[in-house]
């Protein structure tokens, strides 16, 4: 039983329906999922292993073992074991709590109910008990329990509709269909129970859009494709019921295959701390060796006389062995340089920072009652160091809601009133939406134009033909309920927007059959005979239909990308083409998705001849697709241009402002999307990632490694060439010479560039011999858009940047296809509040809207990094100042490892006397307000450059601590040398010296933290001054008669504190020590702020200066830009469903979900710090600072 053999990897999967015994021979996993890291047996060993990966924890365990040896320990073991157990317990408790919620989520999913066909009966079964080969019944609006082969459904021809929001974030419906041989099974339980087909298919993988397999049943084989598979995580929509056979279950499902393993993430500060702890340990070893050598010499030179003086009659002590013991004694004494309370405080600070994120009301989305959630407490400061953001598009940047905004008909633009919000409100109040039917449908389009209303009423034939085309040329399915309300099933939200616009203008698509299309034209029902359907695909980039109207005329209606349709226009449309082209450029300049509209009148004789050739080509067995494509090309020519449409892909609120702000913060944003290139580029322009002001947008679309390498080389040459024209030749290269970009860094690059990469090209670009060229070019570009990417490619891109750029990365997405990317990045952010929660469950942080990323990074992230760095700098300073005093004292105590302070002060210093003030600073401190942090994104750059805490800052803290320790020891030592008190008695006894030094230390570190605190709260005051009061209270208590009476061996120095601190000279020594320790810091900071102020210093100064006078904030007018690009129209991402429509398989429809309401448009607002921070990396100028205002 202990010799467990791992199951060999699957090459192919064989599944037999309704035969659990047969399938169990292959040891397929069940449907139970595990996203948790631990269980009851593995929690303790795994968690302890993870915690002791921290060098500090291992270091403290080592010290604890040393302290258990009485010969070398001058400190009690409890001073180390108590805090060590405390920090390990706290961390373990936090990890256990996090994992408990993962278990809770897993149990909730695993215990969902599903109807499974067992022993010829449908039985309710928990999801976790579902097995491979089982047949499951699904009902409308149910989640799919496992990856199923669709067998039959309530719809004709075995069709069903699914929503894949949890997989890819898209809410538009997708169609799946069963094989004809299995769709005949219907809902007959006896026939389904006797179904014994065998499926041979691919092994489990993470490819969401591909499936290959063969079904063998009744001595025949049937090919299986992705169109017959329903994946776990989908939701059944508009289908009463369906039956499916489980192919993949639990961890083998494509949803879970995309989830990846939960990785143990650590911040860069944690990794630096491991290095620093090793350095400090090495430093302590060096000090220990020096002091041990000193002890060895002292024992030889002085030890004999000393033993005689104290009447030590024991045998002579071995000086070498004494030095050896002294070495370990000093290792123990000096270990407080890195006290374990440091790690306790760090965990507390991180925990509170996580609660700050959870409690931030400005990151709460009331639309879905979704607050922000920090799902981990260990990565907060990493949020302040992000350099690259990798974002999904659909559902992350966009709402996946299309709105018909404008159109150009016969050379005239309609919909311009929509640009002016004031005029829009007036139109909305005074004018009803354009509607000509007596029975008004429920939906309305946000499209208002009085001129268009008049044109339709006056019977303008071109306008009528334009909207007639929109109502006829599409793949939309319609449904009408008993009350007459019309709803549409759409494969793409783009088509839904166009059909809804036509409906609002009086041309209402009502119904279709395989041979007819019925629309309502201005209140009159008209039925068109559907003669041919020329479907869309990614090569054609257009779709057309051929219909016969009631008058007997044959019309070809076509819509598609303008670059494609303009090549097929009749010469008579030349003038209109020029005007429409200008309109398209204007629409594209506003970030709208454009589409050209055209038609052609066909002769009856010509069409019949063409249709005969089409029938022959459709029956061809060789080059069928090529023949059909050629016939399509032949008839789609000499088109008459009608105009163009402009559809807005609704961005989420605040996306444009967020991307602009993050760009100013020098954060590079890469969009990794599964959408096609035209869609992704459109969104890039819409959210201002791509702009017309860019020097160039490089498109990599090669189909081989050689093509991709050549395109990358040309892009580099173009980039370097344009920069050299400005830089007067930074890089020199000749013909045949290899291009080098080493001389052209990001800082010397002039202009803005963008890179667009297709999915098939990205696959080649990620190969080992090309990826460095790709990464080098991509990192020099301001924006990168990767299209048609698979989940694995998304993770590979993130890993590439992590590994070779040594940059902190963040990935944000909302679907299961983003989980791998989210887990690969240093920080993973999931969009919550949608139906798809896979990304949020796998993330480190989650919230409902992309715009909250700005606040997460620029406020919470920056503050967390700022606070943690200041906390660490102060902590190391005070502990070096506190600890190194023992080293200087060693030269005056015979290197005997005698401590300067009493043992209780050493124990309480980090736990009681100085813990709360530094904790308050680490939790509450802020250099500028949250509003100022948002308004000046350049304040984020110190975290990216890692300048607030690094090795150099650490050595500065060490030097500061060394200086303070010298002042703390030698000033009292010099003052007490041959000195007497006011009563004529000496004050240089050991305990008086210890009390004076301890009191001086408390005052010095308290004044220092007061100087370091930028943002004062009541808590800071209470903790700082309360800690001083606590010190005196405990000091006088330990030196009192009462405590001596109870513990005479522990507290022998009765009354020493009262005696020492009643001397005026002692207080003068304390004052002198404090001033000498703090004054250099005050002078240095004064000179720095006045002679070389940072951006933060200047903002703080003018923020204070503007308390009484607040200038009026003015908004800069926003100007429209012209564009020369063409905005490609986004059809469905896969090939269209024209063949499905003409076959009549999907003519029976169900109740679809109500269409999403249209959102309000976004308006940009300018910040009061725009002049202060005009562009990324710009230095703050004093002459523009008076334009700032203080945030209240």
């Amino acid at each position: 039983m202990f010799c467990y053999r791992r199951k060999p990897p699957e090459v192919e999967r064989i599944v037999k329906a309704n035969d659990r015994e047969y399938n169990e021979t292959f040891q397929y996993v069940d449907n139970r999922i595990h996203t948790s890291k631990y269980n009851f047996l593995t929690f303790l060993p795994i968690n302890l292993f993870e915690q002791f990966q921290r060098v500090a924890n291992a270091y403290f365990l080592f010290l604890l073992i040393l302290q258990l040896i009485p010969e070398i320990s001058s400190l009690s073991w409890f001073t180390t074991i108590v805090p060590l157990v405390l920090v390990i317990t706290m961390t373990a408790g936090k990890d256990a709590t996090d994992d408990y919620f993962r278990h809770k989520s897993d149990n909730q999913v695993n215990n969902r109910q599903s109807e499974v066909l067992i022993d010829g009966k449908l039985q309710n079964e928990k999801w976790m008990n579902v097995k491979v080969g089982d047949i499951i019944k699904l009902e409308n609006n149910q989640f799919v329990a496992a990856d199923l082969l669709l067998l039959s459904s309530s719809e004709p021809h075995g069709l069903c509709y699914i929503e894949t929001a949890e997989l890819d974030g898209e809410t538009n419906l997708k169609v799946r269909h069963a094989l004809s041989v299995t769709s005949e099974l219907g809902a007959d339980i006896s026939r389904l129970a006797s179904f014994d087909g065998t499926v041979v298919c691919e092994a489990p993988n993470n490819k969401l859009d591909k499936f290959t397999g063969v079904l063998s049943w009744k001595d025949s084989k049937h090919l299986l494709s992705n169109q017959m598979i329903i994946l776990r995580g989908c939701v059944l929509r508009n289908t009463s019921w369906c039956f499916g056979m489980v192919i993949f279950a639990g961890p083998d499902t494509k949803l879970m295959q995309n989830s990846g393993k939960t990785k143990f993430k650590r911040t860069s500060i944690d990794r630096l701390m491991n290095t620093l702890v090793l350095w400090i340990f090495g430093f302590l070893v060096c000090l220990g060796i020096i002091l041990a050598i000193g002890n060895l010499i002292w024992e030889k030179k002085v030890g004999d006389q000393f033993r005689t003086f104290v009447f030590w009659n024991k045998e002579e002590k071995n000086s070498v062995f004494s030095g050896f013991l002294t070495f370990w004694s000093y290792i123990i004494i000096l270990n407080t340089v890195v006290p374990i309370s440091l790690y306790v405080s760090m965990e507390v600070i991180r925990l509170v920072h996580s609660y700050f994120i959870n409690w931030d009301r400005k990151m709460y989305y009331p639309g879905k009652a979704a607050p922000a959630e920090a799902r981990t407490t260990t990565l907060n400061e990493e949020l302040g160091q992000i350099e690259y953001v990798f974002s999904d598009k659909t559902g992350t940047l966009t709402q996946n809601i299309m709105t018909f905004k404008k159109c150009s008909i016969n050379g005239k633009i309609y919909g311009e009133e929509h640009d002016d919000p004031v005029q829009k409100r007036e139109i909305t109040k005074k004018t009803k939406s354009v509607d000509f039917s007596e029975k008004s449908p429920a939906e309305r389009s946000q499209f208002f134009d009085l001129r268009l209303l008049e044109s339709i009423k006056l019977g303008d034939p071109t306008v009528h033909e334009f909207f007639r085309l929109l109502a006829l040329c599409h793949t939309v399915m319609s449904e009408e309920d008993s009350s007459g309300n019309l709803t549409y099933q759409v494969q793409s939200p783009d088509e839904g927007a166009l059909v809804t616009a036509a409906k609002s203008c009086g041309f209402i698509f009502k119904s279709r059959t395989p041979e007819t299309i019925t629309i309502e034209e201005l209140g009159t029902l008209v039925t068109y005979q559907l003669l041919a359907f020329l479907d869309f695909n990614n090569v054609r980039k257009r779709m057309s239909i051929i219909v016969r109207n009631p008058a007997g005329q044959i019309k070809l209606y076509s819509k598609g990308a303008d670059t494609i349709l303009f090549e097929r226009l009749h010469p008579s449309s030349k003038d209109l083409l020029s005007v429409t082209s200008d309109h398209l450029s204007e629409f594209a300049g506003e970030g709208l998705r454009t589409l050209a509209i055209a038609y052609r009148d066909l002769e009856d004789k010509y069409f019949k001849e063409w249709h005969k050739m089409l029938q022959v080509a459709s029956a061809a067995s060789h080059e069928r697709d090529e023949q059909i494509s050629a016939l399509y090309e032949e008839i789609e020519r000499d088109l008459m241009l009608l105009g163009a449409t402009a559809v807005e892909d609704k961005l989420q609120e605040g996306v444009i402002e967020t991307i602009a702000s993050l760009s100013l913060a020098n954060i590079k944003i890469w969009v990794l999307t599964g959408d096609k290139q035209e869609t992704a580029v459109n969104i890039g322009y819409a959210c201002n990632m791509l702009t017309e002001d860019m020097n160039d947008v490089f498109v990599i679309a090669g189909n081989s490694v050689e093509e991709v390498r050549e395109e990358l080389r040309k892009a580099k040459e173009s980039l370097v060439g344009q920069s050299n024209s400005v830089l007067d030749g930074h890089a020199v290269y000749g013909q045949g010479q290899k291009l080098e970009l080493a001389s052209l860094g990001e800082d010397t690059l002039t202009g803005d560039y963008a890179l667009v990469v297709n999915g098939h090209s990205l696959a080649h670009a990620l190969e080992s011999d090309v990826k460095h060229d790709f990464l080098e070019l991509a990192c020099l570009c301001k924006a990168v858009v990767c299209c048609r990417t698979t989940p694995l490619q998304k993770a590979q891109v993130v890993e590439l940047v992590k590994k070779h750029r040594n940059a902190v990365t963040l990935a944000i997405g909302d679907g299961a296809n983003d989980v791998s990317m989210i887990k690969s990045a240093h920080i993973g952010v999931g969009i919550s509040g949608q139906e798809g929660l896979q990304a949020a469950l796998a993330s480190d942080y989650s919230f409902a809207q992309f715009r909250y990323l700005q606040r997460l990074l620029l406020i919470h992230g920056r503050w967390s990094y700022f606070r943690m760095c200041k906390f660490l700098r102060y902590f190391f300073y005070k502990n070096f100042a506190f600890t190194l005093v023992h080293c200087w004292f060693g030269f005056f105590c015979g290197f005997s490892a005698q401590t300067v302070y009493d043992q209780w002060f050493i124990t309480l210093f980090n736990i009681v006397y100085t813990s709360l003030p530094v904790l308050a600073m680490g939790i509450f401190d802020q250099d500028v307000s949250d509003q100022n942090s948002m308004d000046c994104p350049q304040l984020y750059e110190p975290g990216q450059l890692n300048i607030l805490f690094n090795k150099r800052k650490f050595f500065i803290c060490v030097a500061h601590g060394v200086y303070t320790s010298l002042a703390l020891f030698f000033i009292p030592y010099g003052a007490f040398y041959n000195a007497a008190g006011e009563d004529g008695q000496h004050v240089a006894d050991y305990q008086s010296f210890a009390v004076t030094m301890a009191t001086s230390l408390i005052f010095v570190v308290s004044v220092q933290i007061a100087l370091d605190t930028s943002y004062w709260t009541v808590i800071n005051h209470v903790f700082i001054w309360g800690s001083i009061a606590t010190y005196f209270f405990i000091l006088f208590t330990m030196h009192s008669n009462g405590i001596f009476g109870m513990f005479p061996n522990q507290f022998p120095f009765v009354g020493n504190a009262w005696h020492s601190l009643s001397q005026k000279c002692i207080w003068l020594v304390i004052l002198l020590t404090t001033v000498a320790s703090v004054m250099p810091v005050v002078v240095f900071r004064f000179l720095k702020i006045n002679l070389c102020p940072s951006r933060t210093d200047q903002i703080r100064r003018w923020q204070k200066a503007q308390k009484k006078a607040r200038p009026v904030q003015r908004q800069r007018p926003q100007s429209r830009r012209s564009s020369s690009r063409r905005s490609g129209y986004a059809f469905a991402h896969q090939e269209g469903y024209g063949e499905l429509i003409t076959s009549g398989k999907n003519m029976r429809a169900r109740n679809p979900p109500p269409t999403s309401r249209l959102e309000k448009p976004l308006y940009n607002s300018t910040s009061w710090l725009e002049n202060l921070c005009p562009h990324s990396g710009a230095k703050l100028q004093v002459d523009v600072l008076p334009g700032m205002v203080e945030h209240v």
Side-chain angles (χ1 to χ4, degrees), residues 771-914:
K771 64 182 180 182
H772 293 290
D773 294 332
F774 163 69
L775 181 64
E776 190 176 27
L777 175 64
C779 290
L780 289 173
C781 294
K782 183 179 179 181
V784 177
V785 178
C786 298
C787 318
R788 291 293 190 188
T789 54
T790 65
L792 178 61
Q793 286 177 332
K794 291 182 178 184
Q796 287 175 335
V797 171
V798 175
E799 290 288 352
L800 183 66
V801 175
K802 278 178 61 179
K803 182 178 180 181
H804 297 285
R805 294 295 295 179
N806 196 25
V808 182
T809 58
L810 179 146
I812 179 171
D814 72 322
N817 57 343
D818 303 315
V819 170
S820 296
M821 171 178 73
I822 285 172
K823 290 190 174 182
S824 296
H826 291 97
I827 303 288
V829 178
I831 300 294
S832 64
Q834 308 293 333
E835 289 197 55
L837 294 176
Q838 286 296 315
L841 292 175
S843 65
D844 304 305
Y845 301 89
S846 64
F847 41 72
Q849 294 279 287
F850 179 83
R851 69 178 186 270
Y852 297 146
L853 182 64
Q854 180 183 6
R855 190 168 180 87
L856 181 70
L857 298 186
L858 300 188
I859 295 179
H860 292 287
R862 198 183 74 82
W863 278 354
S864 293
Y865 173 72
F866 167 78
R867 291 163 175 166
M868 186 60 71
C869 291
K870 182 177 279 193
F871 164 82
L872 290 173
R873 293 200 307 266
Y874 174 79
F875 215 105
F876 280 120
Y877 153 74
K878 78 177 179 68
N879 279 86
F880 268 93
F882 163 62
T883 304
L884 292 184
V885 171
H886 298 298
C887 181
W888 317 136
F889 185 58
F891 288 89
F892 298 90
C893 69
F895 304 98
S896 61
Q898 172 68 40
T899 59
V900 180
Y901 318 108
D902 68 75
Q903 181 172 304
W904 287 104
F905 180 82
I906 294 174
T907 303
L908 298 176
F909 178 75
N910 282 302
I911 298 177
V912 177
Y913 298 149
T914 61

Side-chain angles (χ1 to χ4, degrees), residues 5-303:
R5 287 190 305 171
R6 177 174 292 186
K7 177 186 170 184
E10 288 186 55
V11 178
E12 64 177 11
R13 171 158 292 203
I14 303 174
V15 182
K16 189 172 184 180
N18 293 313
D19 195 339
R20 285 192 172 186
E21 292 184 4
Y22 174 81
N23 295 324
E24 284 175 357
T25 60
F26 296 98
Q27 300 180 6
Y28 296 139
V29 296
D30 59 21
N31 204 37
R32 186 192 302 268
I33 63 167
H34 302 276
T35 61
S36 54
K37 293 170 61 177
Y38 317 107
N39 57 38
F40 285 111
L41 296 178
T42 63
F43 173 74
L44 196 59
I46 293 178
N47 189 261
L48 287 176
F49 174 75
E50 289 178 349
Q51 290 204 57
F52 281 103
Q53 281 185 322
R54 280 183 172 176
V55 176
N57 287 344
Y59 168 65
F60 291 124
L61 181 62
F62 173 69
L63 286 176
L64 174 62
I65 296 171
L66 290 180
Q67 285 182 278
L68 294 176
I69 304 174
E71 285 80 6
I72 63 175
S73 178
S74 56
L75 294 175
S76 300
W77 57 269
F78 65 83
T79 60
T80 297
I81 193 171
V82 172
L84 179 61
V85 171
L86 179 64
V87 72
I88 289 177
T89 304
M90 286 181 60
T91 305
K94 174 180 64 65
D95 293 340
T97 302
D98 292 343
D99 209 56
Y100 165 75
F101 287 111
R102 294 192 191 101
H103 275 285
K104 189 176 180 181
S105 175
D106 290 346
N107 291 334
Q108 183 180 0
V109 173
N110 289 330
N111 288 306
R112 287 178 179 172
Q113 296 290 319
S114 188
E115 288 187 279
V116 182
L117 189 58
I118 301 177
D119 298 330
K121 297 179 181 180
L122 281 175
Q123 300 179 14
N124 281 331
E125 196 69 75
K126 293 179 179 179
W127 277 23
M128 60 182 177
N129 297 327
V130 171
K131 305 290 185 181
V132 171
D134 287 350
I135 292 180
I136 295 178
K137 180 184 180 181
L138 293 175
E139 295 184 346
N140 194 33
N141 297 325
Q142 275 191 347
F143 276 94
V144 181
D147 290 354
L148 308 178
L149 170 65
L150 181 62
L151 298 178
S152 62
S153 77
S154 58
E155 301 300 304
H157 307 282
L159 293 180
C160 75
Y161 300 94
I162 59 172
E163 184 180 280
T164 59
E166 193 154 341
L167 292 173
D168 53 21
E170 296 183 5
T171 55
N172 48 297
L173 300 184
K174 295 178 175 61
V175 176
R176 295 292 183 265
H177 60 86
L179 290 169
S180 57
V181 293
T182 61
S183 63
E184 296 172 355
L185 298 173
D188 190 332
I189 300 300
S190 59
R191 296 182 64 186
L192 287 165
S194 62
F195 175 71
D196 59 353
T198 301
V199 173
V200 180
C201 65
E202 61 189 18
N205 59 74
N206 63 353
K207 297 177 181 178
L208 295 172
D209 56 348
K210 290 184 179 179
F211 180 85
T212 56
V214 176
L215 171 65
S216 301
W217 188 43
K218 293 182 177 179
D219 299 325
S220 61
K221 295 186 177 181
H222 309 274
L223 293 177
L224 303 177
S225 69
N226 196 54
Q227 294 301 311
M228 303 162 192
I229 301 298
I230 308 177
L231 300 181
R232 179 185 179 125
C234 297
V235 181
L236 189 68
R237 300 291 192 199
N238 306 325
T239 308
S240 296
W241 52 263
C242 74
F243 286 88
M245 169 184 169
V246 177
I247 304 297
F248 300 122
D252 290 342
T253 60
K254 292 182 182 285
L255 175 72
M256 299 306 297
Q257 289 282 310
N258 275 288
S259 297
K261 292 184 178 180
T262 302
K263 297 181 180 179
F264 178 59
K265 296 184 178 181
R266 296 157 62 201
T267 67
S268 57
I269 285 182
D270 276 335
R271 293 189 292 271
L272 176 61
M273 286 290 293
N274 279 349
T275 302
L276 296 182
V277 168
L278 290 175
W279 286 4
I280 291 171
F281 183 71
F283 174 69
L284 295 186
V285 169
C286 293
L287 282 180
I289 291 173
I290 294 171
L291 294 169
I293 293 173
N295 178 263
L296 185 151
I297 296 172
W298 188 89
E299 286 289 343
K300 281 190 174 182
K301 300 287 186 181
V302 187

Side-chain angles (χ1 to χ4, degrees), residues 31 120 139 291 523 585 649 924 932 988 1046 1066 1157:
N31 204 37
E139 295 184 346
L291 294 169
S585 297
D649 187 355
F924 299 108
N932 290 358
M1046 291 184 287
I1066 299 293
R1157 60 184 179 87

Side-chain angles (χ1 to χ4, degrees), residues 1027-1098:
S1027 295
I1028 297 175
T1030 302
Y1031 162 73
F1032 282 111
F1033 174 78
I1034 294 176
L1035 176 66
F1036 290 132
T1037 301
M1038 288 192 302
H1039 288 228
S1040 65
N1041 291 325
I1043 198 76
F1044 172 75
M1046 291 184 287
F1047 308 101
N1049 294 328
Q1050 304 296 328
F1051 304 97
F1053 299 98
V1054 181
N1056 185 274
W1058 288 101
H1059 177 266
S1060 299
L1061 296 179
S1062 63
Q1063 305 284 332
K1064 295 179 181 178
C1065 62
I1066 299 293
W1067 286 104
L1068 288 174
V1069 170
I1070 294 172
L1071 177 62
L1072 178 61
T1073 305
T1074 304
V1075 171
S1077 300
V1078 173
M1079 188 54 65
V1081 178
V1082 174
V1083 173
F1084 173 77
R1085 292 185 182 180
F1086 175 80
L1087 294 176
K1088 181 179 180 296
I1089 290 175
N1090 285 276
L1091 299 180
C1092 186
S1094 65
R1095 183 179 285 115
T1096 302
D1097 296 331
Q1098 296 182 18

Side-chain angles (χ1 to χ4, degrees), residues 644-756:
T645 61
V647 174
E648 180 188 36
D649 187 355
K650 296 284 290 185
L651 292 173
Q652 287 191 12
E653 183 181 349
V655 165
I656 297 175
E657 293 83 351
T658 300
I659 289 177
S661 184
L662 296 182
S663 298
L664 286 174
N666 200 31
I667 297 174
K668 293 189 175 182
I669 301 177
W670 293 21
V671 173
L672 310 179
T673 177
D675 286 346
K676 62 175 186 164
Q677 180 177 322
E678 291 86 350
T679 307
V681 170
N682 267 323
I683 294 301
Y685 278 101
C687 62
N688 288 345
M689 276 183 58
L690 308 177
T691 65
E692 288 299 322
D693 297 331
M694 284 184 165
N695 297 62
D696 206 345
V697 177
F698 305 116
V699 178
I700 308 299
N703 293 309
S704 66
V705 175
E706 291 72 20
E707 291 179 8
V708 171
R709 184 184 291 110
E710 180 64 19
E711 289 179 355
L712 289 171
R713 185 189 66 81
K714 289 181 179 179
K716 290 179 183 178
E717 289 180 351
S718 175
L719 185 146
V720 176
Q722 294 183 44
S723 296
N724 284 343
S725 64
V726 179
L727 296 174
D728 295 327
H730 261 272
V732 180
Y733 52 91
Q735 187 175 5
Q737 182 179 359
K738 185 179 178 180
L739 177 65
E740 297 291 344
L741 288 180
S743 59
L744 186 67
E746 295 179 40
D747 296 333
T748 59
L749 187 67
T750 60
D752 292 331
Y753 301 86
L755 180 66
V756 178

